[in-house]
Amino acid sequence: MTATAAEQNDLASRGGHPQRWLILGVICLAQLTVLLDNTVLNVAIPSLTTELNASTADVQWMINAYSLVQSGLLLTAGSASDRYGRKKMLVAGLVLFGIGSLVAGLAQSSGQLIAARAGMGIGGALLITTTLAVVVQIFDDAERVKAIGIWSTVNSLGFAVGPLVGGVMLDHFWWGAIFLVNIPVAVIGVIAVLRLVPESKNPRGDRPDLLGALLSTIGMAAVVYAIISGPEHGWGSGQVLLTAFTGVAVLTGFVLWELHIQYPMLDMHFFRNQKFIGAVAGAILVAFGMGGSLFLLTQHLQFVLGYGPLEAGLRTAPLALTVVALNLTGLGARLVPRMGTPATIAAGMSLLAAGLGAIALLGRQGYGGMLLGLVVMGAGIALAMPAMANAIMSAIPPEKAGVGAGVNGTLAEFGNGLGVAVLGAVLNSRFAALVPAAVGAASLPAALAAADGEGERQRITDAFASGLEASQLVGAVAVLAGGLLAAVLLRRAERAEEAESTGDPRPEQRAPERA
């Protein structure tokens, strides 16, 4: 049975769905599984490099195929769920995610795993865009904030504990188990959604923008491919320049298309709002710092410090524990009214940058310096994320809150993939510049295997550590600069609101009317 708008309002006035907390638990489990797969692959990098003969670029595509497909389809998936039914799209997402996980777990080559990860990204896009919509539907006004807070905590937890879960699985099973464990979760999720979740949809919802989704996915993939292949082929090579130009051209076409059509996947008019731009910039750079740093951190723990997969996963846990502990206490939510949104975001992003810098500068000396960096990073994420979510949702009209969440999710996913690509490219460039030319620099294990003597192996390991340090520092600078820029834009938007408050109390919160 499909709930109309009137029925949904009546549901909210009666205290929400009677099984709302059980439904929230099911939704959070599915959401956690999807988000884990953004980072769970990081600790399997040494195993994939050895067993599938994967190069560094192959490994980056195994990670990016998932995040790029997912980010390219988030807005279209959200529009489809509004039009065809959120319950239907939840079930479809779980089924696709389960099938993709099965294919990934049984993959025999890098190409097969990359294709399976892309398929999982389709299912993940459907799940991410529908879970929050269902949460909003089944809870009344009094409990909705608490429910969304739990949902947001699961988001943070999913990105942070992937290496830990992956390490536990790899300590007892082969690398394919990190995907096969998703299958029972998907099966349980399908059964629970069919039995518990009420259907809801908006028959007058915007039509899916299939061409926009295609253009955005192709454009982002081309740009990231150029970044990944730059160190191998040379930044000035025809292949890299052509791919980069193609990506920029396709993304330009995407923008023009979105401005032209009646029902765009991404309403470009939102970007006239400085508050929206500032909050989105912060969201991208938090994802950039988290995604890129975790990609590098697990390699540092295993290749440089010599920990096994489980040990490496356990040593990333302080980041997750800090985020969850501070989110559950509501520290960020309490500080926003006291400090203001711009100052809270600036403080959080500065802490995140400081954590990245601590890992870069102290990581070679052992795990102690890395632990400090992880805790500081977690504090920064817990502080900045609630403030940015509040800024994004207050920058757009309530009737377009789903669109705002979709934009935030899309650009955050893009930031995660871009962080892996950019920081991985910095690592590759630095490693290739320092490693002995006769050895070759396709990957650290290959270089070590070809090394002649213990002295040369030590020089190669030192070169890899130097590349990791340079990458983390680049990430720290980018996060700090982006955080300060976001704070400045948000402060300017607040001042504009104050100046115009006499005629309209919140003029900046309205998206400009389309021509």
Side-chain angles (χ1 to χ4, degrees), residues 138-171:
I138 62 177
F139 284 91
D140 63 13
D141 294 339
E143 294 180 326
R144 191 171 295 146
V145 174
K146 181 179 180 181
I148 292 177
I150 295 173
W151 181 87
S152 299
T153 300
V154 170
N155 281 337
S156 302
L157 183 64
F159 280 104
V161 303
L164 175 59
V165 173
V168 172
M169 297 298 297
L170 289 172
D171 197 53

Side-chain angles (χ1 to χ4, degrees), residues 258-325:
E258 297 302 288
L259 289 170
H260 171 74
I261 61 173
Q262 184 178 5
Y263 299 110
M265 183 177 76
L266 176 57
D267 189 347
M268 296 297 166
H269 294 79
F270 282 129
F271 292 94
R272 293 180 182 176
N273 189 321
Q274 290 185 6
K275 180 183 287 188
F276 183 78
I277 293 174
V280 163
I284 292 174
L285 286 159
V286 166
F288 179 95
M290 283 188 67
S293 65
L294 287 175
F295 171 71
L296 300 172
L297 181 61
T298 51
Q299 296 184 68
H300 193 153
L301 287 166
Q302 294 181 74
F303 288 144
V304 178
L305 299 183
Y307 294 114
L310 176 58
E311 295 174 313
L314 288 171
R315 281 164 176 77
T316 63
L319 172 63
L321 294 175
T322 304
V323 172
V324 172

